[in-house]
Amino acid sequence: MRPLAEPAATDYQAVVAAAGFSLGVRCDEDEIHRIDFLPPTAEVAPRNALAAEAARQIGAYLADAEFAFSLPLRPSGTPFQRRVWQQIAAIPTHQTRSYGDIARALHNAPRAVGQACGANPFPVVVPCHRVLAAAGGLGGFARHRAGFLLDVKRWLLAHEGR
């Protein structure tokens, strides 16, 4: 569950600025713990080698949507959430799936898929922005149905040519 108050940029081992938003990376030396979307903020220089690699890979993706991530992600989530995230990670760049498509593949309900998408601790790396509502509507994003994060989802989809 995301904290109620937005963490300060200094709570991250790196912050990468993007067009209209930033990405905060939390990690130790071995694994990425989570990546958070933040309002536009100053970059924070990486504090360890893995944070530097995460910042490099995020920057590469922001420059080229075809970039493929290869970061060590800390195992997290329930078994169902991990199955949803595995399905999402398999969606190719420039393509989308609906919550219903993923639900059918997992023999579950679209609402449960949406909840698992909202709990994704590794957005962009596990591209939950590629999951849309029925009939191509945006649906939600990171447990929000309006505002800043929907703008981020729109930007990511446009960046990937969708």
Side-chain angles (χ1 to χ4, degrees):
M1 191 98 178
R2 295 190 186 261
L4 294 177
E6 202 55 51
T10 56
D11 291 341
Y12 296 97
Q13 283 65 54
V15 174
V16 179
F21 62 97
S22 295
L23 291 151
V25 177
R26 291 184 184 208
C27 65
D28 57 29
E29 294 287 340
D30 300 316
E31 298 173 315
I32 303 294
H33 299 192
R34 68 178 301 109
I35 299 171
D36 293 320
F37 287 111
L38 306 171
T41 189
E43 291 196 332
V44 170
R47 296 185 181 158
N48 63 39
L50 182 54
E53 179 58 16
R56 184 195 71 76
Q57 288 192 30
I58 291 168
Y61 167 78
L62 293 170
D64 177 7
E66 298 289 333
F67 179 81
F69 287 96
S70 60
L71 293 169
L73 306 176
R74 173 176 274 179
S76 61
T78 67
F80 175 72
Q81 288 171 332
R82 289 192 300 271
R83 288 185 12 237
V84 170
W85 300 336
Q86 185 176 39
Q87 289 285 316
I88 293 168
I91 302 170
T93 306
H94 308 297
Q95 294 185 28
T96 59
R97 300 288 183 272
S98 72
Y99 296 100
D101 292 336
I102 293 171
R104 280 187 291 283
L106 297 175
H107 307 288
N108 213 299
R111 184 175 300 252
V113 169
Q115 290 170 344
C117 286
N120 175 10
F122 312 111
V124 179
V125 176
V126 177
C128 51
H129 60 276
R130 296 180 189 155
V131 182
L132 303 175
L138 277 182
F141 192 52
R143 295 191 172 139
H144 291 81
R145 299 194 63 69
F148 164 72
L149 288 172
L150 265 282
D151 292 339
V152 171
K153 185 173 185 172
R154 284 184 194 92
W155 188 92
L156 292 168
L157 289 168
H159 176 59
E160 293 185 358
R162 293 289 308 149

